[in-house]
Every structure is written in structure tokens, then in C-alpha cells.
Amino acid sequence: YHCPDFHAAVAPWYAVEQNPRLCILLVLHNAEYQGSISTDMIQKEKLDVMSSIWNLPPEVVQRHLVNDGRFNMLKAAVNYVLERQGRRGICAVSADYAAECHLAYSLLWPFPQINGLDNPMLEDERPTLTIDLAQRKAMEKEAVQRKLGLDVDPEARIFV
């Protein structure tokens, strides 16, 4: 099961009972956020509320969705890898980001290391910018506005 960051981090705990051999690959994209919700400390009645929202027993929510007293979805996948996969099954979108995450976030410290994924595009295949990125974005925005018959306005926001 591919678990792209915190977004899908809780899913294995719903499936493990019917699939006890389920393995996941947790790929860190935005480890800073961790799927945290700004809350007061999760305990007693708040734990029961979170349990009913997630349709999981309070013990599971407490053990796998609360980190340092705060709600944290990424912890669910981290715990799954730690407890069920012998600390194997976590990586990041690049080697640099893997090293950064491993140093910065205590939730990830139990792992001996976090590897980065290789980028499948070779360096010599990457397009090179011939003009400044900000200039390129402005040119593309103007082109879209003209193509769609919109007023050309460099300050306008375009929602795609």
C-alpha cells in the first residue's frame, strides 16, 4: 500500500484486521505539517469525539493518532511501519529531504535512516530555464488570459 504522506496514514489501521500481512510504503512529501490539527490536548471527552469521527476505538486513536498530546495523522503510518514492519517502509521524495526530515522531526527519530527516492529524470534531460522563473510565470499568465479572452491583468489570480 502506497501511503503518500499523512493524507493516507490512517488507512492501514482500518485494513490490518482483514489483511494482517499488509505492508505500506510511507513517502514523505510534507513532513512538517504531519496532518496535525491545532487542538488542545487530546484526552478524555476529546479523545471520544476524535474516536467517533474516525470510527476507531479510543485506544487506537490515543496510540496511533496522538503525538505529544496533539492530533497527528502522520503518526499512524509511522507507528505502522515501526510496529508491523520492523522499521522498514519509509522514504522521502529526495535524499536531501529525507536527511532534513530525519534531523528535524522527532516523530521520525526512531528510524535508523530514511532514504530518498531517486528522481527518474536524468539531469541532462531536465529543461533549463532561459529566463527568470518569475518572468516566465508572468508570460504564461498573460498567455492564458489572452487565450481565454480575459482581461490581461498581471495582478489577477488565476484558479486552475
Side-chain angles (χ1 to χ4, degrees):
Y1 170 71
H2 174 224
C3 184
D5 224 342
F6 68 90
H7 306 93
V10 183
W13 294 107
Y14 291 101
V16 71
E17 192 172 311
Q18 288 80 27
N19 302 284
R21 296 178 53 207
L22 176 71
C23 291
I24 70 169
L25 173 62
L26 171 59
V27 181
L28 301 172
H29 295 264
N30 184 8
E32 181 177 0
Y33 175 57
Q34 298 184 11
S36 298
I37 296 175
S38 183
T39 59
D40 292 329
M41 298 302 229
I42 303 284
Q43 49 191 320
K44 298 181 179 131
E45 9 359 280
K46 291 179 183 172
L47 184 60
D48 291 336
V49 169
M50 293 308 278
S51 175
S52 67
I53 290 171
W54 287 90
N55 194 29
L56 289 168
E59 314 77 60
V60 172
V61 172
Q62 178 68 51
R63 182 170 176 170
H64 301 299
L65 289 165
V66 177
N67 188 47
D68 295 331
R70 308 265 184 217
F71 186 80
N72 183 313
M73 288 186 279
L74 186 62
K75 184 178 184 221
V78 167
N79 279 8
Y80 196 91
V81 172
L82 289 172
E83 293 177 15
R84 303 191 62 87
Q85 297 180 196
R87 300 174 191 246
R88 291 184 167 164
I90 183 170
C91 62
V93 294
S94 72
D96 289 342
Y97 191 59
E100 176 187 327
C101 290
H102 199 231
L103 287 173
Y105 307 117
S106 61
L107 183 65
L108 303 174
W109 292 349
F111 295 96
Q113 74 178 48
I114 298 173
N115 293 322
L117 294 172
D118 291 333
N119 190 322
M121 183 179 279
L122 299 173
E123 288 301 318
D124 61 349
E125 293 176 347
R126 291 180 187 275
T128 55
L129 293 176
T130 55
I131 63 172
D132 177 67
L133 183 59
Q135 289 176 312
R136 180 63 185 229
K137 285 182 175 183
M139 288 173 42
E140 296 299 332
K141 179 187 259 186
E142 181 179 337
V144 166
Q145 290 170 331
R146 288 189 190 285
K147 182 176 182 175
L148 298 176
L150 303 170
D151 292 338
V152 174
D153 178 0
E155 302 302 315
R157 298 180 126 203
I158 297 178
F159 179 74
V160 179

